[in-house]
Amino acid sequence: MTLPPVLPHRPAGAPDAIRLNPADSVGIALRPLAAGEHALGTLLADPIPLGHKFALTALSPGDAVVKYGQIMAQATQAIAPGQHVHVHNIAMSAVHSHHADQRGHLPPPPARTTFQGYLRPDGRVGTRNFVGILASVNCSSTVCHAIAQAATRVLGPKYPNIDGFAPIVHDQGCGMAAQGEGFDVLVRTLKGYRDHPNFGGVLIVGLGCEVNQLTLYKPTDWTRDRYHSFNIQEVGGSASAVARALELLEPIAAAANADIRSTQPVRALTLGMQCGGSDGFSGITANPALGVASDMLVAAGGTSILSETPEIFGAEHLLIARADPATGARIAGMIDWWRDYAAKNGASLDNNPSPGNKKGGLTTILEKSLGAVAKAGMAPVAGAFAYAERIAVPGLVYMDSPGYDPVAATGQVAAGANLIAFTTGRGSCFGAKPAPSVKLASNSTLFAQMHEDMDINCGTVVDQGTDLQAMGAQIYDLLLDAASGQRTKSEGFGYGDNEFVPWKIGAVL
Protein backbone atom coordinates (compact mmCIF):
# COMPACT_ATOMS: atom_id res chain seq x y z
CA MET A 1 0.00 0.00 0.00
CA THR A 2 1.28 3.47 -0.90
CA LEU A 3 1.21 5.90 2.00
CA PRO A 4 0.25 9.52 1.31
CA PRO A 5 3.01 12.10 1.61
CA VAL A 6 3.39 14.08 4.80
CA LEU A 7 1.35 17.28 4.83
CA PRO A 8 3.56 20.27 3.98
CA HIS A 9 4.92 22.44 6.76
CA ARG A 10 4.28 26.17 6.59
CA PRO A 11 7.55 28.06 6.34
CA ALA A 12 8.55 30.24 9.28
CA GLY A 13 7.15 33.73 8.85
CA ALA A 14 4.41 32.66 6.43
CA PRO A 15 1.33 34.89 6.73
CA ASP A 16 -1.65 33.60 8.69
CA ALA A 17 -4.24 35.40 6.58
CA ILE A 18 -4.56 37.45 3.43
CA ARG A 19 -6.52 40.49 2.28
CA LEU A 20 -6.92 40.21 -1.48
CA ASN A 21 -7.79 43.84 -2.24
CA PRO A 22 -7.44 47.03 -0.20
CA ALA A 23 -11.22 47.56 -0.57
CA ASP A 24 -12.06 44.17 0.96
CA SER A 25 -14.03 43.97 4.20
CA VAL A 26 -12.91 40.37 4.88
CA GLY A 27 -9.67 38.49 5.31
CA ILE A 28 -9.06 34.81 4.46
CA ALA A 29 -7.43 32.37 6.88
CA LEU A 30 -4.34 30.68 5.43
CA ARG A 31 -4.30 28.23 8.33
CA PRO A 32 -6.89 27.32 10.98
CA LEU A 33 -7.02 30.30 13.33
CA ALA A 34 -8.14 30.27 16.95
CA ALA A 35 -10.27 32.83 18.75
CA GLY A 36 -8.02 35.30 20.54
CA GLU A 37 -5.31 35.28 17.87
CA HIS A 38 -4.47 38.35 15.82
CA ALA A 39 -4.58 38.27 12.01
CA LEU A 40 -4.23 41.22 9.64
CA GLY A 41 -4.23 43.45 12.68
CA THR A 42 -7.61 42.14 13.85
CA LEU A 43 -8.35 40.30 17.11
CA LEU A 44 -10.31 37.18 16.18
CA ALA A 45 -13.56 36.69 18.08
CA ASP A 46 -14.25 33.23 16.60
CA PRO A 47 -12.20 30.28 15.41
CA ILE A 48 -11.71 30.62 11.64
CA PRO A 49 -11.34 27.39 9.61
CA LEU A 50 -8.76 27.15 6.87
CA GLY A 51 -9.88 29.09 3.78
CA HIS A 52 -12.77 30.80 5.56
CA LYS A 53 -13.36 34.53 6.00
CA PHE A 54 -13.39 36.89 8.97
CA ALA A 55 -14.52 40.50 9.20
CA LEU A 56 -11.92 43.25 9.02
CA THR A 57 -14.46 46.02 9.62
CA ALA A 58 -17.76 46.30 11.44
CA LEU A 59 -20.72 45.41 9.25
CA SER A 60 -24.37 46.26 9.81
CA PRO A 61 -27.33 44.27 8.46
CA GLY A 62 -27.62 45.00 4.74
CA ASP A 63 -24.02 46.18 4.34
CA ALA A 64 -22.08 44.93 1.34
CA VAL A 65 -19.43 42.29 2.01
CA VAL A 66 -16.47 42.91 -0.30
CA LYS A 67 -13.88 40.38 -1.52
CA TYR A 68 -11.59 40.70 -4.58
CA GLY A 69 -12.62 44.37 -4.48
CA GLN A 70 -16.13 43.31 -5.57
CA ILE A 71 -19.44 42.85 -3.75
CA MET A 72 -19.81 39.14 -2.91
CA ALA A 73 -22.69 39.21 -0.37
CA GLN A 74 -24.55 41.34 2.15
CA ALA A 75 -24.59 41.02 5.93
CA THR A 76 -27.78 39.56 7.39
CA GLN A 77 -26.87 40.63 10.94
CA ALA A 78 -24.36 42.82 12.71
CA ILE A 79 -20.84 41.45 12.32
CA ALA A 80 -18.00 42.71 14.48
CA PRO A 81 -14.36 42.78 13.36
CA GLY A 82 -12.78 39.37 13.92
CA GLN A 83 -16.00 37.39 13.65
CA HIS A 84 -16.37 34.44 11.30
CA VAL A 85 -18.09 35.54 8.07
CA HIS A 86 -20.00 32.66 6.53
CA VAL A 87 -23.45 31.38 5.58
CA HIS A 88 -24.83 32.01 9.09
CA ASN A 89 -24.46 35.80 8.86
CA ILE A 90 -24.28 36.75 5.16
CA ALA A 91 -26.45 36.04 2.12
CA MET A 92 -26.77 36.78 -1.59
CA SER A 93 -26.69 40.50 -2.29
CA ALA A 94 -29.36 42.13 -4.42
CA VAL A 95 -26.71 44.64 -5.53
CA HIS A 96 -23.78 43.38 -7.62
CA SER A 97 -20.58 45.10 -8.61
CA HIS A 98 -20.52 46.44 -12.15
CA HIS A 99 -17.04 47.90 -12.40
CA ALA A 100 -14.01 46.20 -13.93
CA ASP A 101 -10.50 47.40 -13.20
CA GLN A 102 -9.08 47.09 -16.71
CA ARG A 103 -9.58 45.97 -20.28
CA GLY A 104 -8.10 42.77 -21.60
CA HIS A 105 -4.39 42.49 -22.32
CA LEU A 106 -1.85 39.74 -22.95
CA PRO A 107 1.75 39.08 -21.90
CA PRO A 108 4.48 38.66 -24.52
CA PRO A 109 4.48 35.22 -26.21
CA PRO A 110 6.18 32.55 -24.08
CA ALA A 111 9.48 30.99 -25.11
CA ARG A 112 7.87 27.58 -25.61
CA THR A 113 5.48 27.67 -28.56
CA THR A 114 5.35 24.08 -29.86
CA PHE A 115 4.27 20.63 -28.76
CA GLN A 116 4.17 17.12 -30.22
CA GLY A 117 0.76 16.34 -31.72
CA TYR A 118 -1.08 14.42 -34.42
CA LEU A 119 -1.65 16.58 -37.51
CA ARG A 120 -4.96 15.60 -39.13
CA PRO A 121 -5.78 16.11 -42.82
CA ASP A 122 -8.26 18.88 -41.99
CA GLY A 123 -5.48 20.92 -40.37
CA ARG A 124 -6.52 20.36 -36.78
CA VAL A 125 -4.15 18.66 -34.36
CA GLY A 126 -4.82 15.87 -31.88
CA THR A 127 -3.18 15.51 -28.51
CA ARG A 128 -4.28 11.87 -28.32
CA ASN A 129 -4.96 9.12 -30.85
CA PHE A 130 -8.02 7.25 -29.64
CA VAL A 131 -10.54 5.27 -31.67
CA GLY A 132 -14.02 6.39 -30.63
CA ILE A 133 -16.98 4.04 -30.14
CA LEU A 134 -19.96 6.43 -30.17
CA ALA A 135 -23.51 5.53 -29.19
CA SER A 136 -26.23 7.36 -31.09
CA VAL A 137 -28.78 6.40 -28.43
CA ASN A 138 -28.89 5.09 -24.87
CA CYS A 139 -30.08 1.71 -26.23
CA SER A 140 -26.67 1.06 -27.78
CA SER A 141 -24.60 2.21 -24.80
CA THR A 142 -24.08 -1.22 -23.24
CA VAL A 143 -23.08 -2.65 -26.61
CA CYS A 144 -20.61 0.22 -27.13
CA HIS A 145 -18.98 -0.58 -23.79
CA ALA A 146 -18.78 -4.25 -24.81
CA ILE A 147 -17.26 -3.29 -28.17
CA ALA A 148 -14.61 -1.10 -26.49
CA GLN A 149 -13.71 -3.91 -24.08
CA ALA A 150 -13.50 -6.51 -26.86
CA ALA A 151 -11.48 -4.20 -29.10
CA THR A 152 -9.07 -3.44 -26.26
CA ARG A 153 -8.58 -7.17 -25.69
CA VAL A 154 -8.44 -8.33 -29.33
CA LEU A 155 -7.11 -5.37 -31.32
CA GLY A 156 -5.21 -3.40 -28.70
CA PRO A 157 -2.11 -5.65 -28.64
CA LYS A 158 -1.93 -5.56 -32.45
CA TYR A 159 -2.04 -1.76 -32.68
CA PRO A 160 -0.01 -0.33 -29.78
CA ASN A 161 0.33 3.16 -31.25
CA ILE A 162 -3.29 4.07 -30.57
CA ASP A 163 -4.28 5.31 -27.12
CA GLY A 164 -7.22 2.95 -26.83
CA PHE A 165 -10.85 2.45 -27.74
CA ALA A 166 -13.00 5.09 -26.01
CA PRO A 167 -16.71 4.36 -25.46
CA ILE A 168 -18.71 7.60 -25.79
CA VAL A 169 -22.12 6.71 -24.39
CA HIS A 170 -25.06 8.62 -22.95
CA ASP A 171 -28.74 8.36 -21.89
CA GLN A 172 -30.36 10.32 -24.72
CA GLY A 173 -31.27 9.80 -28.39
CA CYS A 174 -34.87 8.64 -27.98
CA GLY A 175 -37.89 9.64 -25.93
CA MET A 176 -37.30 13.20 -27.15
CA ALA A 177 -38.64 15.52 -29.83
CA ALA A 178 -36.96 15.14 -33.23
CA GLN A 179 -36.49 18.88 -33.47
CA GLY A 180 -35.92 21.81 -31.17
CA GLU A 181 -33.15 23.00 -28.87
CA GLY A 182 -32.60 19.76 -26.95
CA PHE A 183 -32.30 17.64 -30.09
CA ASP A 184 -30.05 20.17 -31.79
CA VAL A 185 -27.69 20.21 -28.79
CA LEU A 186 -27.37 16.41 -28.79
CA VAL A 187 -26.67 16.24 -32.53
CA ARG A 188 -24.18 19.11 -32.36
CA THR A 189 -22.37 17.45 -29.45
CA LEU A 190 -22.11 14.05 -31.11
CA LYS A 191 -20.91 15.59 -34.38
CA GLY A 192 -18.24 17.47 -32.42
CA TYR A 193 -16.98 14.17 -31.03
CA ARG A 194 -17.26 12.40 -34.39
CA ASP A 195 -14.95 15.02 -35.92
CA HIS A 196 -12.64 15.49 -32.93
CA PRO A 197 -8.90 15.57 -33.77
CA ASN A 198 -8.11 13.33 -30.78
CA PHE A 199 -9.86 10.48 -32.60
CA GLY A 200 -7.86 8.64 -35.23
CA GLY A 201 -11.07 6.90 -36.26
CA VAL A 202 -14.70 6.48 -35.18
CA LEU A 203 -17.42 3.83 -35.12
CA ILE A 204 -20.99 4.97 -34.38
CA VAL A 205 -23.50 2.37 -33.21
CA GLY A 206 -27.28 2.81 -33.07
CA LEU A 207 -30.18 0.53 -32.27
CA GLY A 208 -32.19 1.37 -35.39
CA CYS A 209 -35.56 2.71 -34.27
CA GLU A 210 -34.43 5.76 -32.26
CA VAL A 211 -35.16 9.42 -32.88
CA ASN A 212 -31.45 10.18 -33.30
CA GLN A 213 -30.87 8.28 -36.55
CA LEU A 214 -27.41 7.37 -37.89
CA THR A 215 -28.22 9.17 -41.16
CA LEU A 216 -27.48 12.42 -39.32
CA TYR A 217 -23.84 11.43 -38.85
CA LYS A 218 -22.24 11.06 -42.24
CA PRO A 219 -18.43 11.08 -42.23
CA THR A 220 -16.40 14.13 -43.12
CA ASP A 221 -14.02 13.95 -46.07
CA TRP A 222 -10.87 13.07 -44.18
CA THR A 223 -12.54 10.57 -41.84
CA ARG A 224 -14.34 8.69 -44.62
CA ASP A 225 -11.79 5.84 -44.60
CA ARG A 226 -11.73 5.79 -40.78
CA TYR A 227 -15.44 5.82 -40.11
CA HIS A 228 -18.20 3.23 -39.95
CA SER A 229 -21.68 3.05 -38.48
CA PHE A 230 -24.36 0.40 -38.14
CA ASN A 231 -27.53 -0.43 -36.21
CA ILE A 232 -27.74 -3.37 -33.79
CA GLN A 233 -31.13 -4.37 -35.22
CA GLU A 234 -29.55 -4.90 -38.64
CA VAL A 235 -26.77 -7.33 -37.64
CA GLY A 236 -28.55 -9.94 -35.52
CA GLY A 237 -28.44 -8.51 -32.01
CA SER A 238 -26.01 -7.49 -29.31
CA ALA A 239 -23.42 -10.27 -29.51
CA SER A 240 -23.41 -10.07 -33.30
CA ALA A 241 -22.96 -6.32 -33.04
CA VAL A 242 -19.74 -6.80 -31.07
CA ALA A 243 -18.45 -9.25 -33.67
CA ARG A 244 -19.38 -6.93 -36.53
CA ALA A 245 -17.74 -4.00 -34.78
CA LEU A 246 -14.44 -5.84 -34.48
CA GLU A 247 -14.49 -6.47 -38.23
CA LEU A 248 -15.12 -2.81 -38.98
CA LEU A 249 -12.62 -1.55 -36.40
CA GLU A 250 -9.69 -3.60 -37.70
CA PRO A 251 -8.87 -1.33 -40.70
CA ILE A 252 -9.68 1.80 -38.66
CA ALA A 253 -7.27 0.77 -35.91
CA ALA A 254 -4.61 -0.15 -38.48
CA ALA A 255 -4.85 3.31 -40.08
CA ALA A 256 -4.75 5.10 -36.72
CA ASN A 257 -1.82 2.98 -35.62
CA ALA A 258 0.23 4.48 -38.45
CA ASP A 259 -0.26 8.04 -37.17
CA ILE A 260 2.78 9.64 -35.54
CA ARG A 261 3.37 12.76 -33.50
CA SER A 262 5.16 15.72 -35.03
CA THR A 263 6.12 19.22 -33.91
CA GLN A 264 3.06 21.46 -33.98
CA PRO A 265 2.42 25.09 -32.97
CA VAL A 266 0.63 25.96 -29.75
CA ARG A 267 -1.97 27.73 -31.87
CA ALA A 268 -3.32 24.23 -32.60
CA LEU A 269 -4.25 23.76 -28.93
CA THR A 270 -7.72 24.45 -27.60
CA LEU A 271 -7.90 24.33 -23.81
CA GLY A 272 -11.16 23.74 -21.98
CA MET A 273 -11.03 25.25 -18.47
CA GLN A 274 -13.10 23.72 -15.66
CA CYS A 275 -13.41 24.16 -11.91
CA GLY A 276 -15.23 21.75 -9.63
CA GLY A 277 -15.44 21.18 -5.90
CA SER A 278 -14.21 24.75 -5.37
CA ASP A 279 -13.11 26.03 -1.98
CA GLY A 280 -12.01 29.29 -0.38
CA PHE A 281 -8.59 28.98 -2.02
CA SER A 282 -9.73 28.21 -5.58
CA GLY A 283 -10.07 31.89 -6.48
CA ILE A 284 -6.73 32.71 -4.84
CA THR A 285 -4.43 29.95 -6.09
CA ALA A 286 -5.49 27.43 -8.75
CA ASN A 287 -7.92 29.58 -10.74
CA PRO A 288 -5.72 32.68 -11.14
CA ALA A 289 -2.68 30.47 -11.77
CA LEU A 290 -4.61 28.72 -14.55
CA GLY A 291 -5.52 32.21 -15.77
CA VAL A 292 -1.81 32.98 -16.12
CA ALA A 293 -1.30 29.73 -18.08
CA SER A 294 -4.30 30.54 -20.26
CA ASP A 295 -2.89 33.98 -21.06
CA MET A 296 0.42 32.35 -22.04
CA LEU A 297 -1.35 29.89 -24.30
CA VAL A 298 -3.42 32.63 -25.94
CA ALA A 299 -0.32 34.81 -26.36
CA ALA A 300 1.24 31.89 -28.25
CA GLY A 301 -1.76 31.78 -30.60
CA GLY A 302 -3.83 29.10 -28.87
CA THR A 303 -7.44 29.06 -27.71
CA SER A 304 -8.86 28.84 -24.18
CA ILE A 305 -12.53 28.17 -23.43
CA LEU A 306 -14.25 29.48 -20.29
CA SER A 307 -17.73 28.08 -19.59
CA GLU A 308 -20.24 27.34 -16.80
CA THR A 309 -22.62 30.29 -17.14
CA PRO A 310 -24.37 29.83 -13.76
CA GLU A 311 -20.91 30.12 -12.20
CA ILE A 312 -20.02 33.46 -13.76
CA PHE A 313 -23.32 34.99 -12.61
CA GLY A 314 -22.52 38.23 -10.76
CA ALA A 315 -19.04 38.40 -12.29
CA GLU A 316 -20.01 38.57 -15.95
CA HIS A 317 -19.15 42.29 -16.03
CA LEU A 318 -15.47 41.36 -15.68
CA LEU A 319 -15.67 39.44 -18.97
CA ILE A 320 -17.96 41.86 -20.79
CA ALA A 321 -15.50 44.70 -20.10
CA ARG A 322 -12.86 42.73 -22.03
CA ALA A 323 -15.08 41.94 -25.04
CA ASP A 324 -16.27 43.81 -28.11
CA PRO A 325 -19.89 45.06 -27.91
CA ALA A 326 -21.37 42.13 -29.88
CA THR A 327 -19.56 39.50 -27.78
CA GLY A 328 -20.44 41.30 -24.57
CA ALA A 329 -24.10 41.40 -25.59
CA ARG A 330 -24.06 37.66 -26.29
CA ILE A 331 -22.64 36.93 -22.82
CA ALA A 332 -25.23 39.19 -21.21
CA GLY A 333 -27.93 37.40 -23.21
CA MET A 334 -26.71 34.04 -21.90
CA ILE A 335 -27.04 35.29 -18.32
CA ASP A 336 -30.60 36.46 -19.05
CA TRP A 337 -31.46 33.06 -20.57
CA TRP A 338 -30.19 31.29 -17.47
CA ARG A 339 -32.16 33.55 -15.13
CA ASP A 340 -35.31 32.68 -17.06
CA TYR A 341 -34.40 28.97 -17.33
CA ALA A 342 -33.77 28.70 -13.59
CA ALA A 343 -37.00 30.51 -12.74
CA LYS A 344 -39.05 28.25 -15.03
CA ASN A 345 -37.64 25.23 -13.21
CA GLY A 346 -38.24 26.62 -9.72
CA ALA A 347 -34.55 27.30 -9.11
CA SER A 348 -32.39 30.34 -8.52
CA LEU A 349 -28.87 31.04 -9.74
CA ASP A 350 -27.81 32.14 -6.25
CA ASN A 351 -28.41 28.60 -4.93
CA ASN A 352 -25.42 27.25 -6.87
CA PRO A 353 -22.71 26.78 -4.19
CA SER A 354 -22.76 23.15 -3.04
CA PRO A 355 -22.36 21.85 0.53
CA GLY A 356 -18.74 21.02 -0.31
CA ASN A 357 -18.13 24.54 -1.61
CA LYS A 358 -19.50 25.98 1.63
CA LYS A 359 -17.49 23.65 3.83
CA GLY A 360 -14.42 24.82 1.94
CA GLY A 361 -15.18 28.46 2.76
CA LEU A 362 -17.41 29.70 -0.07
CA THR A 363 -20.81 31.28 0.56
CA THR A 364 -22.76 32.94 -2.27
CA ILE A 365 -22.66 32.41 -6.02
CA LEU A 366 -21.19 35.92 -6.28
CA GLU A 367 -18.15 34.85 -4.29
CA LYS A 368 -17.85 31.61 -6.25
CA SER A 369 -18.21 33.39 -9.60
CA LEU A 370 -15.61 36.04 -8.77
CA GLY A 371 -13.13 33.26 -8.11
CA ALA A 372 -14.22 31.19 -11.10
CA VAL A 373 -13.63 33.93 -13.69
CA ALA A 374 -10.01 34.16 -12.52
CA LYS A 375 -9.41 31.13 -14.79
CA ALA A 376 -9.84 33.50 -17.73
CA GLY A 377 -6.71 35.46 -16.90
CA MET A 378 -6.54 38.93 -18.42
CA ALA A 379 -6.87 38.19 -22.15
CA PRO A 380 -9.47 39.99 -24.29
CA VAL A 381 -12.61 37.91 -24.83
CA ALA A 382 -12.56 37.08 -28.54
CA GLY A 383 -15.97 35.44 -28.94
CA ALA A 384 -19.00 33.84 -27.29
CA PHE A 385 -20.40 30.53 -28.51
CA ALA A 386 -23.36 28.25 -27.93
CA TYR A 387 -22.93 24.94 -26.13
CA ALA A 388 -20.84 22.49 -28.19
CA GLU A 389 -20.59 24.97 -31.07
CA ARG A 390 -17.34 24.63 -33.05
CA ILE A 391 -14.96 27.36 -31.87
CA ALA A 392 -14.18 29.47 -34.90
CA VAL A 393 -11.66 32.01 -33.55
CA PRO A 394 -8.40 31.83 -31.58
CA GLY A 395 -7.93 33.51 -28.22
CA LEU A 396 -9.93 33.45 -25.00
CA VAL A 397 -13.55 32.59 -25.79
CA TYR A 398 -16.70 31.96 -23.79
CA MET A 399 -18.96 28.93 -24.37
CA ASP A 400 -22.39 28.72 -22.74
CA SER A 401 -22.93 25.68 -20.51
CA PRO A 402 -24.36 24.54 -17.19
CA GLY A 403 -22.08 24.62 -14.17
CA TYR A 404 -22.23 20.83 -13.81
CA ASP A 405 -18.67 19.79 -14.66
CA PRO A 406 -19.23 16.71 -16.88
CA VAL A 407 -21.83 18.55 -18.95
CA ALA A 408 -19.67 21.66 -19.31
CA ALA A 409 -16.54 19.70 -20.24
CA THR A 410 -18.49 17.56 -22.73
CA GLY A 411 -19.55 20.75 -24.51
CA GLN A 412 -16.01 22.09 -24.54
CA VAL A 413 -14.60 18.90 -26.03
CA ALA A 414 -17.37 18.86 -28.65
CA ALA A 415 -16.45 22.48 -29.46
CA GLY A 416 -12.87 21.39 -30.17
CA ALA A 417 -11.00 21.32 -26.85
CA ASN A 418 -8.14 18.85 -27.21
CA LEU A 419 -6.98 19.45 -23.64
CA ILE A 420 -8.78 20.08 -20.31
CA ALA A 421 -7.48 21.85 -17.19
CA PHE A 422 -9.58 21.19 -14.09
CA THR A 423 -9.08 23.09 -10.83
CA THR A 424 -10.47 21.75 -7.56
CA GLY A 425 -10.34 22.51 -3.87
CA ARG A 426 -12.34 19.55 -2.60
CA GLY A 427 -10.98 16.76 -4.79
CA SER A 428 -13.22 16.29 -7.84
CA CYS A 429 -12.34 13.12 -9.76
CA PHE A 430 -12.69 13.53 -13.48
CA GLY A 431 -11.55 12.54 -16.96
CA ALA A 432 -12.68 13.69 -20.40
CA LYS A 433 -11.83 11.18 -23.12
CA PRO A 434 -10.63 11.76 -25.73
CA ALA A 435 -9.06 14.92 -24.21
CA PRO A 436 -6.48 14.53 -21.42
CA SER A 437 -7.47 16.26 -18.19
CA VAL A 438 -4.89 18.01 -15.99
CA LYS A 439 -5.97 18.33 -12.34
CA LEU A 440 -4.90 21.38 -10.33
CA ALA A 441 -5.27 21.32 -6.51
CA SER A 442 -6.06 24.66 -4.89
CA ASN A 443 -4.53 23.77 -1.52
CA SER A 444 -1.65 21.67 -0.24
CA THR A 445 -3.80 19.59 2.11
CA LEU A 446 -5.89 18.33 -0.80
CA PHE A 447 -2.78 17.66 -2.87
CA ALA A 448 -1.34 15.52 -0.07
CA GLN A 449 -4.61 13.72 0.66
CA MET A 450 -5.40 12.97 -3.01
CA HIS A 451 -1.92 12.88 -4.53
CA GLU A 452 -3.00 9.98 -6.75
CA ASP A 453 -5.42 12.28 -8.62
CA MET A 454 -3.76 15.72 -8.58
CA ASP A 455 -1.15 16.76 -11.17
CA ILE A 456 -0.07 20.11 -9.69
CA ASN A 457 -0.24 21.63 -6.21
CA CYS A 458 -1.24 25.27 -6.53
CA GLY A 459 -1.51 25.53 -2.73
CA THR A 460 2.14 26.55 -2.55
CA VAL A 461 1.00 30.01 -3.67
CA VAL A 462 -0.32 30.64 -0.14
CA ASP A 463 1.69 28.29 2.07
CA GLN A 464 5.11 28.69 0.44
CA GLY A 465 4.79 32.04 -1.31
CA THR A 466 5.10 30.73 -4.86
CA ASP A 467 4.58 33.57 -7.30
CA LEU A 468 1.37 33.25 -9.36
CA GLN A 469 3.30 33.92 -12.56
CA ALA A 470 5.71 31.09 -11.75
CA MET A 471 2.83 28.75 -10.90
CA GLY A 472 1.07 29.68 -14.14
CA ALA A 473 4.26 28.96 -16.10
CA GLN A 474 4.49 25.55 -14.41
CA ILE A 475 0.89 24.80 -15.43
CA TYR A 476 1.56 25.96 -19.00
CA ASP A 477 4.55 23.63 -19.30
CA LEU A 478 2.55 20.69 -17.93
CA LEU A 479 -0.28 21.41 -20.37
CA LEU A 480 2.16 21.25 -23.28
CA ASP A 481 3.75 18.10 -21.86
CA ALA A 482 0.30 16.49 -21.56
CA ALA A 483 -0.58 17.63 -25.08
CA SER A 484 2.64 15.93 -26.26
CA GLY A 485 1.64 12.59 -24.76
CA GLN A 486 2.59 12.67 -21.07
CA ARG A 487 -0.18 10.84 -19.21
CA THR A 488 -2.07 12.77 -16.55
CA LYS A 489 -3.10 11.30 -13.20
CA SER A 490 -6.71 10.98 -14.41
CA GLU A 491 -5.58 9.10 -17.50
CA GLY A 492 -3.42 6.81 -15.42
CA PHE A 493 -6.45 5.65 -13.43
CA GLY A 494 -8.64 5.34 -16.51
CA TYR A 495 -11.11 8.19 -16.07
CA GLY A 496 -13.09 9.28 -19.10
CA ASP A 497 -15.28 6.33 -20.11
CA ASN A 498 -18.28 7.56 -18.11
CA GLU A 499 -17.94 11.34 -18.16
CA PHE A 500 -19.53 12.08 -21.54
CA VAL A 501 -22.72 13.90 -20.48
CA PRO A 502 -24.39 16.04 -23.18
CA TRP A 503 -26.58 18.87 -21.90
CA LYS A 504 -30.14 17.63 -21.67
CA ILE A 505 -32.62 20.41 -22.51
CA GLY A 506 -36.36 19.92 -22.91
CA ALA A 507 -38.97 17.34 -22.09
CA VAL A 508 -38.44 13.60 -21.91
CA LEU A 509 -41.34 12.17 -23.90
Side-chain angles (χ1 to χ4, degrees):
M1 180 174 123
T2 302
L3 295 175
V6 176
L7 294 178
H9 294 288
R10 290 173 56 77
D16 297 321
I18 187 172
R19 187 179 198 166
L20 299 175
N21 188 288
D24 289 358
S25 56
V26 293
I28 298 98
L30 300 183
R31 64 170 176 83
L33 301 173
E37 290 191 74
H38 283 82
L40 299 177
T42 301
L43 176 65
L44 299 180
D46 301 317
I48 312 298
L50 175 72
H52 283 236
K53 299 173 291 297
F54 58 92
L56 296 174
T57 61
L59 297 168
S60 299
D63 281 356
V65 182
V66 178
K67 181 181 176 184
Y68 304 108
Q70 305 280 329
I71 296 172
M72 56 146 282
Q74 66 180 29
T76 57
Q77 61 189 61
I79 305 174
Q83 285 189 314
H84 186 201
V85 176
H86 200 44
V87 294
H88 63 288
N89 55 13
I90 65 173
M92 181 73 173
S93 173
V95 178
H96 305 171
S97 299
H98 295 287
H99 65 280
D101 294 333
Q102 53 190 326
R103 299 287 179 174
H105 64 273
L106 282 173
R112 186 179 177 186
T113 58
T114 62
F115 71 103
Q116 298 297 305
Y118 296 96
L119 178 62
R120 304 303 187 188
D122 66 351
R124 294 200 293 170
V125 177
T127 63
R128 293 294 182 269
N129 193 32
F130 283 100
V131 173
I133 316 295
L134 278 61
S136 68
V137 65
N138 65 291
C139 306
S140 60
S141 291
T142 297
V143 166
C144 285
H145 273 297
I147 291 170
Q149 292 166 4
T152 299
R153 183 179 65 255
V154 176
L155 302 178
K158 297 172 62 176
Y159 304 110
N161 292 333
I162 62 175
D163 289 302
F165 298 86
I168 305 298
V169 303
H170 54 95
D171 66 351
Q172 298 185 54
C174 211
M176 63 191 305
Q179 59 184 358
E181 191 171 24
F183 184 73
D184 291 344
V185 163
L186 177 62
V187 172
R188 189 163 65 237
T189 303
L190 285 171
K191 284 183 176 179
Y193 274 69
R194 176 200 63 187
D195 301 336
H196 201 279
N198 283 11
F199 283 136
V202 167
L203 173 68
I204 304 183
V205 181
L207 178 60
C209 53
E210 60 269 19
V211 171
N212 188 36
Q213 288 285 300
L214 291 180
T215 52
L216 294 167
Y217 302 97
K218 297 178 181 178
T220 57
D221 288 340
W222 88 262
T223 60
R224 192 171 304 279
D225 295 332
R226 299 185 180 203
Y227 170 95
H228 277 292
S229 66
F230 69 86
N231 288 314
I232 297 169
Q233 291 169 348
E234 298 167 353
V235 297
S238 300
S240 296
V242 175
R244 177 59 176 152
L246 291 178
E247 295 173 356
L248 296 174
L249 285 171
E250 179 94 38
I252 293 175
N257 192 64
D259 295 338
I260 59 172
R261 292 184 182 270
S262 59
T263 301
Q264 300 296 329
V266 167
R267 66 173 179 270
L269 285 178
T270 299
L271 173 68
M273 298 186 292
Q274 291 291 314
C275 57
S278 299
D279 71 346
F281 288 116
S282 294
I284 304 171
T285 61
N287 288 351
L290 177 55
V292 171
S294 172
D295 283 347
M296 294 175 69
L297 186 143
V298 170
T303 301
S304 287
I305 310 173
L306 182 70
S307 298
E308 302 179 287
T309 309
E311 296 186 9
I312 68 161
F313 174 63
E316 67 272 11
H317 60 285
L318 301 175
L319 299 174
I320 292 172
R322 292 152 52 183
D324 63 77
T327 298
R330 282 194 290 273
I331 294 174
M334 292 172 184
I335 293 289
D336 290 339
W337 185 95
W338 273 96
R339 279 199 187 97
D340 182 63
Y341 182 66
K344 286 179 179 177
N345 288 277
S348 174
L349 292 182
D350 63 345
N351 288 335
N352 179 274
S354 69
N357 296 151
K358 293 173 182 177
K359 187 175 181 180
L362 296 178
T363 51
T364 66
I365 184 57
L366 296 180
E367 181 182 12
K368 187 176 181 180
S369 295
L370 290 166
V373 297
K375 300 193 300 294
M378 293 306 303
V381 181
F385 296 84
Y387 181 85
E389 182 181 2
R390 177 84 167 264
I391 302 301
V393 297
L396 171 68
V397 300
Y398 190 81
M399 187 200 79
D400 189 25
S401 84
Y404 184 41
D405 308 317
V407 178
T410 293
Q412 290 179 333
V413 174
N418 49 13
L419 191 62
I420 297 289
F422 193 115
T423 70
T424 182
R426 305 297 295 170
S428 299
C429 296
F430 184 76
K433 285 182 181 176
S437 178
V438 175
K439 298 296 292 297
L440 311 175
S442 74
N443 64 83
S444 297
T445 300
L446 168 65
F447 186 78
Q449 290 174 337
M450 295 188 66
H451 63 100
E452 297 172 340
D453 296 279
M454 300 295 127
D455 295 290
I456 286 186
N457 178 21
C458 298
T460 61
V461 169
V462 293
D463 56 43
Q464 296 182 29
T466 304
D467 180 75
L468 271 175
Q469 298 298 317
M471 181 59 67
Q474 182 182 344
I475 294 170
Y476 177 77
D477 281 337
L478 179 58
L479 290 172
L480 267 58
D481 290 343
S484 299
Q486 179 176 308
R487 282 160 64 89
T488 68
K489 295 288 186 68
S490 295
E491 288 183 294
F493 187 78
Y495 279 108
D497 287 348
N498 301 296
E499 286 79 12
F500 176 76
V501 187
W503 186 7
K504 188 183 295 184
I505 305 176
V508 177
L509 302 176

